[in-house]
Amino acid sequence: QVQLMESGGGLVQPGGSLRLSCVVSISGFSLYTMGWYRQAPGKQRDLVAAITSGDSTNYGDSVKGRFTISRDNAKKTVYLQMNSLKPEDTAVYYCNAKFLLTGRDYWGQGTQVTVSS
């Protein structure tokens, strides 16, 4: 059974930082493109950042230069370092794993990030 477990969310002041982690119980982790998505109330779920098996990265325009995605294949973990957080970054953040060969993907349960003074 595939499980994705996010952690690291919470309440932070504007300008602050958080680091999200997603531990994945899956075989062949290195063959998955890993991504972070977010969904604010009343809005669609949008891509925040993604990292391929070859460590190529892609970021949403609103987070470029502030967020960094990375992965540790040995630990089957993907990270999202979030700096210079803004109130508009407030959302539930979801971890996603997409299998390279078939495109099948899996989702975590989400972790809440709230940026507020």
Side-chain angles (χ1 to χ4, degrees):
Q1 183 177 359
V2 176
Q3 289 187 323
L4 286 73
M5 185 65 67
E6 301 104 332
S7 62
L11 173 64
V12 63
Q13 292 187 342
S17 298
L18 281 177
R19 189 195 195 200
L20 305 184
S21 299
C22 175
V23 179
V24 183
S25 63
I26 201 168
S27 297
F29 175 78
S30 63
L31 295 178
Y32 285 76
T33 292
M34 298 301 302
W36 287 97
Y37 290 73
R38 67 186 182 188
Q39 187 168 21
K43 295 189 176 182
Q44 67 180 20
R45 189 174 297 188
D46 290 327
L47 173 71
V48 176
I51 184 167
T52 69
S53 58
D55 287 339
S56 294
T57 57
N58 181 39
Y59 294 92
D61 288 340
S62 63
V63 307
K64 285 180 181 177
R66 300 188 297 124
F67 291 10
T68 302
I69 189 171
S70 61
R71 66 190 293 162
D72 185 331
N73 289 339
K75 295 182 178 180
K76 296 186 179 181
T77 302
V78 61
Y79 305 97
L80 184 68
Q81 178 66 43
M82 305 186 294
N83 299 328
S84 303
L85 283 160
K86 305 175 181 180
E88 51 263 44
D89 294 318
T90 295
V92 178
Y93 283 69
Y94 295 92
C95 181
N96 173 268
K98 186 183 295 291
F99 187 43
L100 178 68
L101 300 181
T102 65
R104 181 174 180 177
D105 59 0
Y106 304 89
W107 293 92
Q109 82 288 349
T111 185
Q112 177 70 47
V113 171
T114 302
V115 184
S116 175
S117 56

